[in-house]
Amino acid sequence: MTRISDVITKIEEMLMIILMAAMVIIVTFSVAFRYFFNSPITWAGEVSIFLLIWVTFLGGSWGLKYNSQASITFLMDKVTGNQKKILMIIQLFSMILFLGVILFYTYKWIFLPSVHIQKSSSLLLPMWIPYSAVPIGLTFAAIHLIARLSPASIKREGAE
């Protein structure tokens, strides 16, 4: 599972680089067209919002891979050794359970017929494409959390 998580991380990193670069270019051109040519790009706001949503969910998943999210650690700081490892396992299982519940409902939602007929206002893009950022990002996050449950990861994180 660790190898799958590592491959997903590389994919997330490449996608985030591409999506952020696209967002910077689109917003820059949108501002330039609006102020210098007095001709705004009508679809730029919509696309930049969709790109930001994708980057947010991919970035959140990437952050879970490296345990870099904000957290309150007063309890973890008080315990050591096996207690710390047990607490870490409980924490990971709780997060996986939470993601599992959310994933169940997001996949249920994304496959609704009403979602498949929705179109975005400017590009007329099927809305299931931007909405897919939620289940895909959360699925990647769950895979990263499951990979962190491996004995080597628990040993390494418990030593910190």
Side-chain angles (χ1 to χ4, degrees):
M1 190 56 103
T2 305
R3 286 187 181 167
I4 294 171
S5 176
D6 292 341
V7 168
I8 288 172
T9 301
K10 295 295 180 198
I11 292 169
E12 287 171 333
E13 289 170 351
M14 290 302 285
L15 282 173
M16 285 189 295
I17 290 168
I18 292 167
L19 297 176
M20 284 298 292
M23 191 166 47
V24 166
I25 291 167
I26 289 169
V27 169
T28 302
F29 275 107
S30 177
V31 169
F33 272 68
R34 180 179 302 125
Y35 289 106
F36 297 120
F37 303 118
N38 202 20
S39 178
I41 302 172
T42 57
W43 50 266
E46 184 175 279
V47 171
S48 59
I49 289 170
F50 293 161
L51 293 174
L52 183 61
I53 291 168
W54 271 93
V55 169
T56 300
F57 279 94
L58 292 173
S61 170
W62 183 86
L64 282 174
K65 163 76 174 182
Y66 293 109
N67 200 21
S68 63
Q69 70 279 6
S71 59
I72 300 171
T73 62
F74 69 90
L75 190 56
M76 283 291 229
D77 295 341
K78 297 286 185 196
V79 296
T80 58
N82 282 339
Q83 291 175 333
K84 192 171 199 168
K85 290 178 186 176
I86 291 169
L87 195 58
M88 191 178 318
I89 290 169
I90 291 169
Q91 173 195 16
L92 288 172
F93 271 117
S94 300
M95 290 173 23
I96 291 167
L97 180 65
F98 178 73
L99 280 177
V101 170
I102 293 175
L103 277 169
F104 172 77
Y105 286 107
T106 55
Y107 278 109
K108 191 174 173 181
W109 165 66
I110 206 81
F111 289 117
L112 286 174
S114 60
V115 170
H116 285 272
I117 61 171
Q118 288 181 6
K119 304 271 188 217
S120 66
S121 58
S122 293
L123 293 174
L124 299 178
L125 181 74
M127 286 305 291
W128 66 266
I129 295 171
Y131 289 166
S132 293
V134 178
I136 290 172
L138 295 180
T139 300
F140 287 173
I143 290 169
H144 292 319
L145 290 174
I146 292 168
R148 283 177 51 193
L149 277 172
S150 73
S153 293
I154 294 293
K155 184 177 180 180
R156 183 178 59 248
E157 288 184 39
E160 295 173 358

